[in-house]
């Protein structure tokens, strides 16, 4: 039926009518807050490119965890900024490493919080690449062993799930063999994106030479994303993550339609920073733009979103 019998505006008339027919909703159950652990005590070091986000020492991470829990956020994704770096990134699997210390403290002091860890080496290597180098490129198979050691040490320190983000071939299978019972949230589809800029500042992980196009995906490719997902599932991944989110809604949708596993998206630092910068300049309203972007990512098919707005969302919802 068409106009005048059909009038779609009828259900847009009031807040309640709109809510009754809303197809997509956001919930604090579906967000994960990234946290950055750094050495020291009472350290809260803001990051210029990511207003509201900071590197925090372990005691401050615990304090922030309490605030997140009180606000209703139930899961965090931990990154570490180590004291020192080396060629192989051995700080990543150090029992007394920064993420391991943060995990033990959070496990003890914030027992209600679900602890996910980013498993990669770029924050721990002096060259900033995601694994051990062979000449100018990252050696895939040598790096797998380091990733496994890192994932195992995170779990021993209290991680509930590990999230390999390095994009080496075969890393999910390698971690799965070592950790048969731990959920693996695979950054299955991670593009070599310009939108990671502010993150590299907060995680101090910018490559000292070259870029990550030799292992992260080409932004032009969507079918290859489905191949990555299929391989990761075969290797034992429990969750497929797409990163970044907003520039890749078509990919999120394609992954959602092809696979039955949970699909997550990482709304990356650049997506957050763009909105914050435009809001700070008075060009748009932060909370409306953030909610619209998050809703779009869910509408595209992501069940859960890693987002720097997780804490704000608690206030907005
Ligand atoms: Zn990395």
């Amino acid at each position: 039926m068409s106009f005048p019998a059909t009038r779609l505006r009828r259900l847009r008339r009031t807040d309640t009518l709109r809510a009754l027919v809303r197809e997509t909703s956001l919930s604090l159950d579906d967000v994960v807050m990234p946290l950055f652990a750094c050495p020291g005590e009472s350290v809260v070091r803001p990051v210029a490119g990511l207003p509201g986000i900071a590197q925090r020492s372990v005691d401050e991470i615990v304090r922030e965890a309490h605030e997140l829990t009180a606000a209703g956020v139930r899961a965090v994704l931990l990154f570490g900024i180590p004291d020192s770096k080396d060629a192989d990134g051995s700080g990543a699997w150090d029992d007394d490493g920064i993420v391991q210390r943060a995990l033990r403290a959070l496990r003890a002091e914030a027992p209600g919080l679900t602890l996910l860890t980013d498993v990669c080496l770029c924050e721990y290597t002096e060259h900033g690449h995601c694994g051990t180098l062979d000449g100018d490129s990252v050696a895939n198979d040598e790096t797998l062993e380091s990733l496994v050691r890192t994932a195992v040490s995170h779990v021993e320190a209290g991680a509930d799930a590990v999230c390999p983000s390095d994009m080496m071939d075969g890393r999910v299978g390698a971690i799965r063999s070592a950790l048969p019972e731990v959920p693996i949230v695979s950054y299955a589809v991670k593009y070599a994106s310009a939108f990671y800029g502010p993150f590299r500042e907060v995680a101090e992980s910018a490559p000292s030479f070259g870029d990550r196009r030799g292992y992260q995906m080409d932004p032009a490719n969507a079918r290859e994303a489905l191949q990555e997902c299929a391989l990761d599932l075969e290797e034992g991944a429990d969750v497929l993550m797409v990163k970044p989110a907003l520039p890749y809604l078509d990919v999120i949708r394609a992954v959602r339609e092809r696979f039955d596993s949970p699909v997550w998206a990482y709304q990356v630092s650049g997506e957050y920073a763009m909105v914050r910068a435009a809001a700070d300049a008075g060009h748009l309203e932060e909370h409306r733009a953030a909610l619209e972007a998050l809703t779009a990512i869910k509408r595209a098919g992501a069940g859960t979103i890693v987002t720097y707005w997780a804490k704000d969302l608690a206030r907005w919802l």
Side-chain angles (χ1 to χ4, degrees), residues 118-123 128-130 165-166 190 212 215-216:
D118 183 86
V119 174
C120 197
L121 304 169
C122 47
E123 290 133 47
H129 279 285
C130 299
S165 66
D166 49 282
K190 183 176 181 183
R212 296 193 172 98
Y215 38 105
Q216 296 178 349

PDB file of all heavy atoms in Angstrom, residues 118-123 128-130 165-166 190 212 215-216, ligand 1:
ATOM      1  N   ASP A 118      44.515  -7.270  25.332  1.00  0.00           N
ATOM      2  CA  ASP A 118      45.038  -7.206  23.970  1.00  0.00           C
ATOM      3  C   ASP A 118      46.335  -8.003  23.941  1.00  0.00           C
ATOM      4  O   ASP A 118      47.213  -7.787  24.775  1.00  0.00           O
ATOM      5  CB  ASP A 118      45.306  -5.745  23.595  1.00  0.00           C
ATOM      6  CG  ASP A 118      45.774  -5.611  22.166  1.00  0.00           C
ATOM      7  OD1 ASP A 118      44.917  -5.534  21.273  1.00  0.00           O
ATOM      8  OD2 ASP A 118      47.007  -5.574  21.945  1.00  0.00           O
ATOM      9  N   VAL A 119      46.431  -8.941  23.005  1.00  0.00           N
ATOM     10  CA  VAL A 119      47.647  -9.738  22.882  1.00  0.00           C
ATOM     11  C   VAL A 119      48.367  -9.301  21.616  1.00  0.00           C
ATOM     12  O   VAL A 119      47.945  -9.608  20.496  1.00  0.00           O
ATOM     13  CB  VAL A 119      47.330 -11.245  22.828  1.00  0.00           C
ATOM     14  CG1 VAL A 119      48.596 -12.046  22.554  1.00  0.00           C
ATOM     15  CG2 VAL A 119      46.687 -11.696  24.140  1.00  0.00           C
ATOM     16  N   CYS A 120      49.423  -8.514  21.801  1.00  0.00           N
ATOM     17  CA  CYS A 120      50.267  -8.107  20.686  1.00  0.00           C
ATOM     18  C   CYS A 120      51.608  -7.696  21.257  1.00  0.00           C
ATOM     19  O   CYS A 120      51.784  -7.632  22.477  1.00  0.00           O
ATOM     20  CB  CYS A 120      49.647  -6.977  19.874  1.00  0.00           C
ATOM     21  SG  CYS A 120      50.444  -6.832  18.247  1.00  0.00           S
ATOM     22  N   LEU A 121      52.547  -7.404  20.385  1.00  0.00           N
ATOM     23  CA  LEU A 121      53.899  -7.112  20.852  1.00  0.00           C
ATOM     24  C   LEU A 121      54.330  -5.680  20.567  1.00  0.00           C
ATOM     25  O   LEU A 121      55.364  -5.234  21.043  1.00  0.00           O
ATOM     26  CB  LEU A 121      54.880  -8.102  20.195  1.00  0.00           C
ATOM     27  CG  LEU A 121      54.530  -9.574  20.450  1.00  0.00           C
ATOM     28  CD1 LEU A 121      55.357 -10.492  19.559  1.00  0.00           C
ATOM     29  CD2 LEU A 121      54.720  -9.928  21.919  1.00  0.00           C
ATOM     30  N   CYS A 122      53.516  -4.934  19.796  1.00  0.00           N
ATOM     31  CA  CYS A 122      53.998  -3.632  19.314  1.00  0.00           C
ATOM     32  C   CYS A 122      54.232  -2.621  20.434  1.00  0.00           C
ATOM     33  O   CYS A 122      55.033  -1.708  20.288  1.00  0.00           O
ATOM     34  CB  CYS A 122      53.062  -3.067  18.256  1.00  0.00           C
ATOM     35  SG  CYS A 122      51.326  -3.139  18.686  1.00  0.00           S
ATOM     36  N   GLU A 123      53.537  -2.791  21.573  1.00  0.00           N
ATOM     37  CA  GLU A 123      53.799  -1.865  22.678  1.00  0.00           C
ATOM     38  C   GLU A 123      55.111  -2.210  23.385  1.00  0.00           C
ATOM     39  O   GLU A 123      55.605  -1.438  24.197  1.00  0.00           O
ATOM     40  CB  GLU A 123      52.649  -1.917  23.695  1.00  0.00           C
ATOM     41  CG  GLU A 123      51.363  -1.312  23.168  1.00  0.00           C
ATOM     42  CD  GLU A 123      50.157  -2.214  23.428  1.00  0.00           C
ATOM     43  OE1 GLU A 123      50.014  -2.696  24.565  1.00  0.00           O
ATOM     44  OE2 GLU A 123      49.376  -2.443  22.492  1.00  0.00           O
ATOM     45  N   GLY A 128      58.513  -1.062  17.436  1.00  0.00           N
ATOM     46  CA  GLY A 128      57.081  -0.764  17.337  1.00  0.00           C
ATOM     47  C   GLY A 128      56.294  -1.648  16.382  1.00  0.00           C
ATOM     48  O   GLY A 128      55.104  -1.422  16.174  1.00  0.00           O
ATOM     49  N   HIS A 129      56.930  -2.655  15.803  1.00  0.00           N
ATOM     50  CA  HIS A 129      56.165  -3.588  14.973  1.00  0.00           C
ATOM     51  C   HIS A 129      55.592  -4.698  15.853  1.00  0.00           C
ATOM     52  O   HIS A 129      55.978  -4.873  17.002  1.00  0.00           O
ATOM     53  CB  HIS A 129      57.035  -4.145  13.833  1.00  0.00           C
ATOM     54  CG  HIS A 129      57.116  -3.182  12.683  1.00  0.00           C
ATOM     55  ND1 HIS A 129      56.076  -2.991  11.805  1.00  0.00           N
ATOM     56  CD2 HIS A 129      58.106  -2.329  12.310  1.00  0.00           C
ATOM     57  CE1 HIS A 129      56.418  -2.079  10.916  1.00  0.00           C
ATOM     58  NE2 HIS A 129      57.643  -1.649  11.194  1.00  0.00           N
ATOM     59  N   CYS A 130      54.663  -5.463  15.268  1.00  0.00           N
ATOM     60  CA  CYS A 130      53.858  -6.381  16.076  1.00  0.00           C
ATOM     61  C   CYS A 130      54.510  -7.743  16.282  1.00  0.00           C
ATOM     62  O   CYS A 130      53.850  -8.699  16.677  1.00  0.00           O
ATOM     63  CB  CYS A 130      52.471  -6.531  15.458  1.00  0.00           C
ATOM     64  SG  CYS A 130      51.579  -4.960  15.400  1.00  0.00           S
ATOM     65  N   SER A 165      45.722  -9.331  18.448  1.00  0.00           N
ATOM     66  CA  SER A 165      45.464  -8.230  17.517  1.00  0.00           C
ATOM     67  C   SER A 165      46.584  -8.048  16.506  1.00  0.00           C
ATOM     68  O   SER A 165      46.608  -7.074  15.769  1.00  0.00           O
ATOM     69  CB  SER A 165      45.294  -6.919  18.299  1.00  0.00           C
ATOM     70  OG  SER A 165      46.506  -6.563  18.911  1.00  0.00           O
ATOM     71  N   ASP A 166      47.506  -8.987  16.453  1.00  0.00           N
ATOM     72  CA  ASP A 166      48.750  -8.803  15.705  1.00  0.00           C
ATOM     73  C   ASP A 166      48.625  -9.054  14.209  1.00  0.00           C
ATOM     74  O   ASP A 166      49.415  -8.576  13.430  1.00  0.00           O
ATOM     75  CB  ASP A 166      49.753  -9.812  16.245  1.00  0.00           C
ATOM     76  CG  ASP A 166      49.093 -11.188  16.286  1.00  0.00           C
ATOM     77  OD1 ASP A 166      48.306 -11.437  17.230  1.00  0.00           O
ATOM     78  OD2 ASP A 166      49.291 -11.986  15.352  1.00  0.00           O
ATOM     79  N   LYS A 190      41.428  -6.847  10.850  1.00  0.00           N
ATOM     80  CA  LYS A 190      42.043  -5.606  11.323  1.00  0.00           C
ATOM     81  C   LYS A 190      42.736  -4.943  10.145  1.00  0.00           C
ATOM     82  O   LYS A 190      43.669  -5.499   9.561  1.00  0.00           O
ATOM     83  CB  LYS A 190      43.039  -5.913  12.433  1.00  0.00           C
ATOM     84  CG  LYS A 190      43.667  -4.668  13.036  1.00  0.00           C
ATOM     85  CD  LYS A 190      44.564  -5.043  14.201  1.00  0.00           C
ATOM     86  CE  LYS A 190      45.191  -3.809  14.826  1.00  0.00           C
ATOM     87  NZ  LYS A 190      46.116  -4.175  15.905  1.00  0.00           N
ATOM     88  N   ARG A 212      52.310  -0.976   8.863  1.00  0.00           N
ATOM     89  CA  ARG A 212      51.869  -2.337   9.177  1.00  0.00           C
ATOM     90  C   ARG A 212      51.122  -2.999   8.007  1.00  0.00           C
ATOM     91  O   ARG A 212      50.429  -3.985   8.199  1.00  0.00           O
ATOM     92  CB  ARG A 212      50.995  -2.304  10.435  1.00  0.00           C
ATOM     93  CG  ARG A 212      51.760  -1.859  11.681  1.00  0.00           C
ATOM     94  CD  ARG A 212      50.984  -2.135  12.945  1.00  0.00           C
ATOM     95  NE  ARG A 212      51.791  -1.891  14.130  1.00  0.00           N
ATOM     96  CZ  ARG A 212      51.759  -0.774  14.853  1.00  0.00           C
ATOM     97  NH1 ARG A 212      50.931   0.207  14.527  1.00  0.00           N
ATOM     98  NH2 ARG A 212      52.532  -0.624  15.915  1.00  0.00           N
ATOM     99  N   TYR A 215      51.175  -6.827   7.287  1.00  0.00           N
ATOM    100  CA  TYR A 215      50.409  -7.844   8.022  1.00  0.00           C
ATOM    101  C   TYR A 215      48.958  -7.443   8.277  1.00  0.00           C
ATOM    102  O   TYR A 215      48.093  -8.299   8.348  1.00  0.00           O
ATOM    103  CB  TYR A 215      51.110  -8.284   9.324  1.00  0.00           C
ATOM    104  CG  TYR A 215      51.825  -7.215  10.126  1.00  0.00           C
ATOM    105  CD1 TYR A 215      51.282  -6.717  11.295  1.00  0.00           C
ATOM    106  CD2 TYR A 215      53.077  -6.732   9.735  1.00  0.00           C
ATOM    107  CE1 TYR A 215      51.946  -5.753  12.051  1.00  0.00           C
ATOM    108  CE2 TYR A 215      53.747  -5.767  10.477  1.00  0.00           C
ATOM    109  CZ  TYR A 215      53.177  -5.279  11.635  1.00  0.00           C
ATOM    110  OH  TYR A 215      53.831  -4.333  12.369  1.00  0.00           O
ATOM    111  N   GLN A 216      48.663  -6.158   8.429  1.00  0.00           N
ATOM    112  CA  GLN A 216      47.260  -5.762   8.570  1.00  0.00           C
ATOM    113  C   GLN A 216      46.607  -5.680   7.187  1.00  0.00           C
ATOM    114  O   GLN A 216      47.278  -5.604   6.174  1.00  0.00           O
ATOM    115  CB  GLN A 216      47.161  -4.425   9.306  1.00  0.00           C
ATOM    116  CG  GLN A 216      47.686  -4.540  10.731  1.00  0.00           C
ATOM    117  CD  GLN A 216      47.659  -3.224  11.472  1.00  0.00           C
ATOM    118  OE1 GLN A 216      47.435  -2.163  10.893  1.00  0.00           O
ATOM    119  NE2 GLN A 216      47.906  -3.289  12.767  1.00  0.00           N
TER     120      GLN A 216
HETATM  121 ZN1  LIG B   1      50.427  -4.734  17.401  1.00  0.00          ZN
END
